[in-house]
Amino acid sequence: MKKKAPVVKNQEFDATVIDLTYEGNGVVKVDDFPIFVANAVPGEEIRVGITKVAGTYAFGRVIKTLKESADRNKDVDVATLTTGIAPLAHLNYDAQLRFKQNQIQELFKKQHVDVEVSETLGMENPTGYRNKAQIPTRELRGELTTGFFRRGSHNLMPIEDFYIQDPEIDKAIVVIRDILRKYHIPAYNEFEHTGVIRNIMVRRGYYSHEMMVVLVTRSKKVPGAEMIVADIREALPEVKSIIQNVNQEKTNVILGEKNNTLWGKDVITDTLFGKKFVIGPNSFYQVNPQTTETLYQLAADKAGLTGDEEVIDAYSGIGTISLTIADRVKSVLGVEVVPGAVDDAKRNADINGVNNAKFELGKAEEKMVEWHEAGMRPDVIFVDPPRKGLTPELIDAATGMEPEKFVYISCNPATLARDTVQILENGYHIQGPVQPIDQFPQTTHIESVTVFVKD
Ligand code: SAH
């Protein structure tokens, strides 16, 4: 018989926080029954209030902190931040770095993979780093409002200081919000699927200081577009590109496929290792420009490139990895699924005078199989997949080509650990420790580099 939950809604009691989940919630237990509590640090004693009871677990909130942990970050308004944009902001930065190293260790252990994980490489100033914002807009009290969704919901909390975003971007969001208010442009209503502005996306080049503003709209037209553009240009001189992106679907996906350039360029530029990159609105670009160079440098160094290698760069985005290693290899072949990103990658090769890099449009898992069947024999394969990781077919095809090295850049240690099992089975071993790099301070996201070498 199913055991009855030992707690009920609204119950209050004192407890010690014993663990932290992948989502950054504290864990307290009653008779082994776990209760997840936001803004609670392991070691703390708290008064918990039960907010929701599910089958095998419950959620609670901190009513009062009775004993505080030394790992607590007291410098921020964590009540706001932990609800969405910065779920680890209640930990001090050292504790965050340890949390990330530990997560990777635990996930490998679960897969029975014995591997060393280095200390997480962190940032000196782990706030204000994001070069991109995608801010939802909703009508609150009759006004277009910008902010952030409360964790696990679509309730917009008005916020102006986003803490982890480039402060210039935070300022721009407020300016754009006020311009949209001035012209009474209605925000999106997701229940009725009405209104105009769904999101405001802003990107700012870290070195170039070029800004791109993307207004994501439900409607095909933006009423008063000319006046809005004129006001944005006047108020934000860094803006080099103003784009309307149309997304008419009922979806949580932010960007639609259609872009209209309302004013200026259709891309902005930024630099990495002194090379110039154009970045279009639908293209992926690493959000933490300060650690990206460290990440790529590490991946390239660990691959031990000598200048003779034929390389595959799978999930190549706008070609940043390919083009930054191009002068250390014989040739590099990228594959990427977003057409705009492949266009950017080709443009980026041209701009930087790189002629040993090629980019193909397609799914990495399909291209890898094609290349394997065609008898391709790369020396090194880099993969940098999205959170869902690799597919078994991709791993079989990639290892089937028998590269000497297989460098896995991962933004999700759960799928990394899962994929590692198959890569090891296919005749590879891990070289040196796995290296976590903190691309996403204050959040639960974890980036790492793992190098596999042919047995
Ligand atoms: N290496 C690049 C991009 C990494 S992000 C960089 O560091 O900037 C992952 C990229 O994979 C994104 O550009 C995304 O559009 C792309 N992508 C997602 N699924 C894919 C698939 N199945 N095949 C190829 N590319 C894919």
Side-chain angles (χ1 to χ4, degrees):
M1 210 178 75
K2 214 170 116 189
K3 239 174 89 181
K4 205 169 157 289
V7 293
V8 293
K9 194 171 167 179
N10 294 329
Q11 185 180 342
E12 290 184 17
F13 55 94
D14 296 349
T16 304
V17 183
I18 55 167
D19 204 356
L20 200 62
T21 66
Y22 299 148
E23 294 87 25
N25 287 316
V27 183
V28 305
K29 282 192 173 169
V30 175
D31 301 338
D32 247 14
F33 182 88
I35 299 147
F36 303 120
V37 189
N39 189 15
V41 179
E44 289 188 333
E45 281 165 31
I46 56 173
R47 168 143 285 232
V48 194
I50 300 295
T51 51
K52 187 179 170 184
V53 183
T56 52
Y57 57 91
F59 288 103
R61 67 187 177 90
V62 180
I63 291 179
K64 196 173 174 196
T65 301
L66 308 167
K67 195 184 120 213
E68 213 165 61
S69 163
D71 287 341
R72 177 167 282 279
N73 175 13
K74 290 195 270 194
D75 293 342
V76 289
D77 172 13
V78 287
T80 310
L81 293 168
T82 52
T83 53
I85 192 160
L88 278 194
H90 59 311
L91 295 189
N92 69 33
Y93 193 49
D94 274 348
Q96 291 183 25
L97 296 177
R98 274 185 275 118
F99 166 82
K100 295 188 180 190
Q101 178 189 19
N102 189 259
Q103 292 288 337
I104 302 182
Q105 273 162 343
E106 291 298 315
L107 287 159
F108 273 116
K109 231 187 256 167
K110 260 196 198 161
Q111 299 286 351
H112 309 287
V113 175
D114 184 21
V115 63
E116 194 189 325
V117 180
S118 298
E119 285 182 12
T120 311
L121 287 174
M123 290 180 78
E124 209 164 306
N125 296 310
T127 58
Y129 61 85
R130 272 188 72 100
N131 59 9
K132 178 173 110 170
Q134 290 174 311
I135 303 301
T137 58
R138 294 290 181 269
E139 291 289 317
L140 281 188
R141 288 179 217 95
E143 267 188 328
L144 182 144
T145 304
T146 47
F148 208 80
F149 292 137
R150 193 176 285 280
R151 207 161 7 151
S153 84
H154 271 199
N155 298 331
L156 188 89
M157 297 190 302
I159 302 185
E160 292 186 6
D161 173 3
F162 289 86
Y163 189 56
I164 60 171
Q165 288 170 188
D166 181 337
E168 291 302 319
I169 293 182
D170 284 3
K171 281 188 221 160
I173 296 287
V174 170
V175 167
I176 297 162
R177 178 200 68 188
D178 290 346
I179 291 169
L180 294 170
R181 279 182 180 173
K182 176 176 156 192
Y183 295 110
H184 305 288
I185 311 297
Y188 183 55
N189 178 322
E190 67 183 310
F191 304 105
E192 290 163 15
H193 198 55
T194 54
V196 176
I197 307 288
R198 298 172 68 123
N199 284 271
I200 302 169
M201 176 168 130
V202 177
R203 253 187 181 143
R204 180 173 189 256
Y206 181 70
Y207 295 101
S208 69
H209 296 179
E210 288 184 5
M211 230 185 234
M212 171 184 279
V213 175
V214 182
L215 301 174
V216 185
T217 66
R218 182 200 59 84
S219 54
K220 285 200 180 125
K221 286 255 174 325
V222 186
E226 272 174 34
M227 292 177 303
I228 294 169
V229 164
D231 281 15
I232 292 176
R233 288 179 57 192
E234 158 118 38
L236 300 169
E238 287 187 347
V239 171
K240 296 289 175 279
S241 165
I242 305 178
I243 290 175
Q244 177 201 3
N245 175 276
V246 183
N247 184 354
Q248 300 196 292
E249 306 295 317
K250 290 184 180 169
T251 171
N252 287 337
V253 177
I254 294 176
L255 292 178
E257 275 169 23
K258 196 168 161 11
N259 296 305
N260 305 322
T261 303
L262 298 175
W263 175 80
K265 302 191 292 178
D266 55 359
V267 292
I268 54 165
T269 58
D270 202 13
T271 44
L272 282 169
F273 294 114
K275 287 201 167 99
K276 209 167 158 182
F277 290 91
V278 301
I279 313 156
N282 293 70
S283 298
F284 175 91
Y285 186 65
Q286 298 283 351
V287 294
N288 189 339
Q290 295 170 69
T291 50
T292 296
E293 289 184 343
T294 313
L295 174 71
Y296 291 171
Q297 188 72 52
L298 206 101
D301 288 351
K302 284 187 174 241
L305 303 171
T306 63
D308 293 330
E309 291 83 4
E310 292 180 16
V311 176
I312 288 176
D313 172 16
Y315 307 91
S316 48
I318 63 168
T320 45
I321 293 180
S322 295
L323 299 176
T324 53
I325 62 165
D327 39 19
R328 295 167 67 179
V329 303
K330 189 164 144 208
S331 66
V332 52
L333 175 60
V335 55
E336 161 63 45
V337 79
V338 173
V342 176
D343 294 344
D344 289 351
K346 289 178 177 167
R347 250 165 109 174
N348 289 331
D350 281 349
I351 293 171
N352 293 293
V354 173
N355 45 31
N356 60 343
K358 287 204 166 59
F359 297 95
E360 291 190 15
L361 175 65
K363 290 189 171 164
E365 54 275 29
E366 290 172 6
K367 285 282 174 188
M368 205 69 88
V369 171
E370 267 175 44
W371 291 336
H372 180 215
E373 281 168 1
M376 203 183 275
R377 295 300 297 261
D379 301 291
V380 179
I381 296 180
F382 288 90
V383 291
D384 185 6
R387 291 179 52 73
K388 67 174 185 251
L390 306 175
T391 65
E393 295 74 28
L394 183 146
I395 296 172
D396 281 347
T399 51
M401 290 188 271
E402 301 188 341
E404 187 55 33
K405 292 204 168 151
F406 185 92
V407 181
Y408 195 145
I409 302 170
S410 159
C411 59
N412 181 354
T415 52
L416 166 70
R418 178 200 68 196
D419 295 343
T420 291
V421 173
Q422 192 188 344
I423 300 169
L424 298 180
E425 278 169 9
N426 287 5
Y428 282 76
H429 59 273
I430 297 175
Q431 170 193 280
V434 172
Q435 179 64 62
I437 299 155
D438 199 17
Q439 291 274 85
F440 315 103
Q442 321 297 342
T443 80
T444 51
H445 293 289
I446 308 175
E447 186 90 8
S448 61
V449 178
T450 307
V451 180
F452 297 89
V453 181
K454 204 155 108 35
D455 289 342

